[in-house]
Amino acid sequence: MRHHYWEWPIPTYLFLGGLGGGIYCLIAILTLFVYPGIDIVPEVLAWPGFVSILCLGFGCLMLVIDLGQPMVFYRAFVKSTSVLAWGARLLTICMIFGLLWFASYIPWDWFSGIAGFLTPLRPLCLAIAGIAGTCIMLYTGIFLSTLKAHAFWATPALPVLFTVSALSTACAAITLSVGWWPASFDPHNIMSASLYVASVEAVHEILHVVDIVLVACEIVVLLVMVLSFLGAGNKTANKVAHKWVHGSYAPFFWGGMMVIGLGLPELMYIFLPGVASSVVAPILVLCGGLLLRFMVVNSDERAPLPGEERYYEKLPSTDAEFIHKWTYGENIY
Amino acid sequence: MTRYCMVIDQRRCIGCGSCTVACRTWNELPLDIVYNPVIGEGVQGKWPNVHRNWLPTLCMHCEKAPCVPCCPTGASQKDPDGTVWIEYDKCMACLACVNACPYGMRDQSKLQPRLHRFVRKCTFCRAKRELDPDAQPYCVLTCHQKARIFGDLDDPNSEVSKLVNSVETFRLQEDMGTEPQIYFIPDLGGVRQQ
């Protein structure tokens, strides 16, 4: 059977898209609902916002380089019904409004005119970027789950899993990057310095608790999804679940995902304060999120037609390359 | 209204693969692309009660084709007569349709230049039918066993309509809800697709 059509750029794109969208979703919630009216909070969250833009931009680049004809990419904005086209639009909206929001915090003198113009628009830009980011998180899972040909993807649990994972990785990314440039404080002004430190601490604290809950949810959703396929899935999904639980993917699933990507960071968050919970655990969560996308995208088995596997196994695999070279790349038949 | 479909008589197919060769030759396909593989599970049963049947396949031109709505550029299209086809100039080869197809009947050629790849599939020889509406696909014309029969399902006098309404037929993976427009007449000794 022919499968594995999508190669490494697509899982990378799904990971970066979910991560970037999740970061803006969390920034919008923290700024507009949790700490409204406290100016230093969005300022310390500006750099994570820029990280999100980088992730979304790099994710789009991954998507484009995977295309067979990248110059036709603009057509994804023309047609409205496809999930992938909506994803491309949401990514663009999130990047544009996220960039405008971040630009309003840039402290360069020559940029002060533009930043000043954008300052009153901050809540609007952040709200739009946050809504688009939330939709991107949902879209990455929905995109795969609409492809019903692949039994392991065609489940409502997948969008839930990808959304929880996107939020969890976003928490980790913000924890790692909160408080960097352009946020600053006057070292000679004790009030300014304490405000800066307090807001960074407050963001760290709330994300710490949120990520504990999210990682726990992710463990539950992932286990429910895989074990339900193992127990009650159709033949194809069951085969994939077997591969995950005690087949060739088992070391990655149990060792990589469940232990290193989820269990260990959860324990670090709860029991090991300091560097372990603020640096090591978020990095492990990010690695787990990336591994999850790779494992899910590579689990693209579909129900084979009777005798299909036998047919494609018998096709010569090296002759095509030989004949292609022999004809100097021209199809002479 | 015209609604094209194909009836494949498994009782007649001998697995010679001439339909595959005709399609590849006339459509000038790259070496790594096969539109209509003739697949089979080999010899089934226990001697002396053994049998072997063949399953000539192609794009199912589904009534509810999942490969059409998932296309982000509008390249993957469905004609009013039921033909599902790809407008190559619009295809950016994102492979969403390839992953949406439950039958694995779409692919891009890895032998094409890296930045000029597009997804290919059987179109019931649409280009040929544009010139002559009564033209038959090359795989149908080539089949010396007359195992492939092509025609308008909505025309009560067509051979396909008579066959579909008189003989027991089955379609592949009907549980996917795609309503494929390729009907198979099962081989008497064969094992039917569950």
Side-chain angles (χ1 to χ4, degrees):
Chain A
M1 190 185 67
R2 293 180 298 177
H3 63 136
H4 296 332
Y5 295 108
W6 276 330
E7 292 171 3
W8 64 270
I10 296 298
T12 311
Y13 155 71
L14 293 174
F15 168 71
L16 292 174
L19 173 62
I23 289 176
Y24 262 110
C25 172
L26 288 173
I27 292 175
I29 291 170
L30 287 170
T31 306
L32 301 175
F33 298 110
V34 181
Y35 301 112
I38 304 173
D39 290 342
I40 189 73
V41 171
E43 209 174 312
V44 297
L45 289 168
W47 183 252
F50 186 66
V51 170
S52 163
I53 295 161
L54 289 180
C55 289
L56 294 172
F58 195 65
C60 284
L61 185 71
M62 289 290 106
L63 181 63
V64 171
I65 63 166
D66 192 58
L67 298 176
Q69 297 196 93
M71 298 309 283
V72 196
F73 182 68
Y74 74 93
R75 286 198 60 85
F77 296 90
V78 177
K79 202 186 164 219
S80 63
T81 53
S82 151
V83 180
L84 192 62
W86 276 108
R89 282 177 206 140
L90 290 167
L91 280 163
T92 311
I93 292 169
C94 190
M95 272 196 287
I96 291 171
F97 284 94
L99 196 61
L100 291 175
W101 178 78
F102 173 74
S104 71
Y105 288 99
I106 293 176
W108 298 328
D109 289 341
W110 64 270
F111 199 75
S112 58
I114 301 170
F117 172 75
L118 291 171
T119 301
L121 301 172
R122 278 174 184 170
L124 180 69
C125 291
L126 185 58
I128 295 172
I131 292 167
T134 310
C135 295
I136 293 167
M137 285 191 303
L138 294 167
Y139 140 79
T140 54
I142 292 171
F143 172 49
L144 290 190
S145 67
T146 54
L147 302 171
K148 291 180 193 162
H150 306 286
F152 199 73
W153 297 352
T155 165
L158 192 67
V160 178
L161 178 65
F162 271 29
T163 306
V164 174
S165 172
L167 278 172
S168 161
T169 51
C171 275
I174 294 176
T175 305
L176 288 171
S177 59
V178 68
W180 292 16
W181 183 87
S184 59
F185 59 89
D186 182 3
H188 304 296
N189 184 344
I190 191 84
M191 192 65 187
S192 158
S194 57
L195 252 178
Y196 171 85
V197 173
S199 56
V200 171
E201 279 300 311
V203 170
H204 264 296
E205 203 168 306
I206 197 164
L207 290 181
H208 183 251
V209 176
V210 169
D211 216 9
I212 288 173
V213 177
L214 287 171
V215 170
C217 289
E218 198 179 335
I219 291 171
V220 172
V221 176
L222 185 59
L223 282 176
V224 165
M225 187 178 127
V226 175
L227 297 180
S228 65
F229 275 139
L230 190 72
N234 67 24
K235 201 175 165 185
T236 312
N238 193 269
K239 201 172 151 188
V240 180
H242 269 283
K243 193 167 79 174
W244 277 52
V245 175
H246 38 71
S248 57
Y249 280 20
F252 300 103
F253 175 58
W254 293 114
M257 278 291 317
M258 297 306 291
V259 176
I260 297 173
L262 295 169
L264 207 56
E266 183 79 341
L267 293 174
M268 284 180 178
Y269 276 140
I270 297 170
F271 298 111
L272 295 174
V275 179
S277 73
S278 60
V279 179
V280 181
I283 291 172
L284 292 179
V285 167
L286 288 168
C287 294
L290 184 62
L291 183 63
L292 173 72
R293 278 18 172 240
F294 268 90
M295 286 177 67
V296 170
V297 172
N298 279 328
S299 301
D300 61 349
E301 280 87 344
R302 61 176 169 77
L305 302 176
E308 187 188 359
E309 285 171 343
R310 196 167 169 268
Y311 179 85
Y312 285 109
E313 275 168 16
K314 279 164 69 178
L315 281 185
S317 57
T318 52
D319 288 10
E321 195 184 347
F322 166 72
I323 295 172
H324 184 69
K325 281 180 183 164
W326 179 60
T327 56
Y328 300 100
E330 286 179 24
N331 192 350
I332 58 169
Y333 300 106
Chain B
M1 200 171 146
T2 309
R3 188 156 59 105
Y4 287 120
C5 83
M6 190 179 283
V7 174
I8 295 175
D9 193 342
Q10 279 191 295
R11 299 168 303 181
R12 291 183 173 184
C13 181
I14 56 168
C16 66
S18 56
C19 50
T20 309
V21 175
C23 174
R24 290 178 59 93
T25 308
W26 283 102
N27 290 305
E28 296 186 348
L29 299 184
L31 287 158
D32 55 346
I33 296 289
V34 186
Y35 283 171
N36 52 0
V38 180
I39 59 181
E41 290 180 300
V43 179
Q44 304 285 306
K46 210 169 185 181
W47 193 87
N49 299 314
V50 291
H51 65 269
R52 180 174 197 169
N53 61 11
W54 298 97
L55 191 71
T57 58
L58 69 163
C59 168
M60 299 289 145
H61 295 275
C62 306
E63 192 69 30
K64 293 176 183 169
C67 52
V68 175
C70 71
C71 176
T73 63
S76 194
Q77 299 168 41
K78 186 170 165 60
D79 283 343
D81 63 19
T83 308
V84 179
W85 61 290
I86 298 164
E87 197 172 337
Y88 296 143
D89 292 341
K90 290 182 180 176
C91 177
M92 62 179 185
C94 63
L95 307 186
C97 60
V98 175
N99 279 291
C101 178
Y103 305 99
M105 290 300 160
R106 289 174 168 238
D107 205 353
Q108 66 171 0
S109 172
K110 294 263 169 71
L111 300 176
Q112 299 288 109
R114 175 64 187 83
L115 297 179
H116 296 282
R117 289 179 183 170
F118 48 83
V119 175
R120 295 162 182 264
K121 67 176 284 298
C122 159
T123 61
F124 275 159
C125 292
R126 184 175 180 274
K128 189 185 176 195
R129 282 188 291 111
E130 273 180 345
L131 301 173
D132 174 12
D134 296 326
Q136 297 275 309
Y138 291 112
C139 56
V140 175
L141 291 175
T142 304
C143 184
H144 41 80
Q145 298 297 313
K146 307 292 178 204
R148 288 179 184 254
I149 304 125
F150 176 76
D152 177 9
L153 193 62
D154 280 357
D155 176 6
N157 296 317
S158 69
E159 193 180 352
V160 286
S161 179
K162 285 175 185 169
L163 280 169
V164 168
N165 291 308
S166 61
V167 183
E168 190 187 347
T169 57
F170 72 94
R171 297 186 287 183
L172 292 174
Q173 296 186 358
E174 281 196 89
D175 56 324
M176 298 297 293
T178 55
E179 297 183 21
Q181 292 304 298
I182 308 296
Y183 294 81
F184 292 87
I185 300 173
D187 190 355
L188 292 174
V191 179
R192 194 171 307 173
Q193 164 81 1
Q194 296 300 310

